[in-house]
Amino acid sequence: MKKRAWLVFFDESGVSLLPEVRRTYAPRGRTPILRHRLNWKRAGMAAALGYHAADPHRGPRLCFHLKPGSYDTISLIGVLEQIKTFYAGEAVVLVWDGLSAHWSRGMRAWVAQQD
């Protein structure tokens, strides 16, 4: 049976905004000191990549969300609300990993209220 729905892969990740330093050169016996002036140390990004299952000519859709810090159940529900608006009136099958925030009581309650 064919479903006329969007297949949406959703995941989130944390990113460090501090510069990576691997190697540098300095005169022998003088340890180099590298300074940076960034105050925002961590960021979170969530992304949803959608493909239409029945009509590949509709093309893929990419949605992403950035925020300081990391994601929890409340912030993920906010992102899913935005994705829900993006796919308004369309059937969506959401595919995501086993992150604990995806299976929390709050998330299960929110999912139970959705179509």
Side-chain angles (χ1 to χ4, degrees):
M1 178 172 102
K2 273 191 172 181
K3 257 198 183 269
R4 296 193 176 276
W6 285 90
L7 185 59
V8 177
F9 299 92
F10 182 78
D11 202 9
E12 58 284 320
S13 180
V15 201
S16 174
L17 297 176
L18 295 177
E20 286 283 328
V21 178
R22 297 290 181 197
R23 288 181 184 229
T24 187
Y25 295 96
R28 186 178 296 258
R30 292 184 164 174
T31 303
I33 298 173
L34 303 174
R35 293 187 174 94
H36 55 82
R37 299 184 189 275
L38 297 175
N39 293 329
W40 193 23
K41 294 184 172 53
R42 301 271 313 155
M45 184 179 97
L49 181 59
Y51 296 96
H52 199 276
D55 189 5
H57 299 292
R58 293 181 77 173
R61 290 183 178 178
L62 175 66
C63 307
F64 66 93
H65 184 267
L66 298 169
K67 73 181 274 321
S70 58
Y71 285 94
D72 59 3
T73 300
I74 306 286
S75 57
L76 283 177
I77 288 173
V79 173
L80 289 173
E81 286 286 350
Q82 291 177 9
I83 291 172
K84 184 177 160 184
T85 303
F86 188 74
Y87 287 100
E90 304 269 0
V92 172
V93 176
L94 186 66
V95 180
W96 58 8
D97 58 10
L99 181 71
S100 60
H102 296 169
W103 302 105
S104 67
R105 288 182 188 150
M107 184 63 76
R108 283 185 281 162
W110 182 82
V111 169
Q113 296 171 354
Q114 309 308 307
D115 294 336

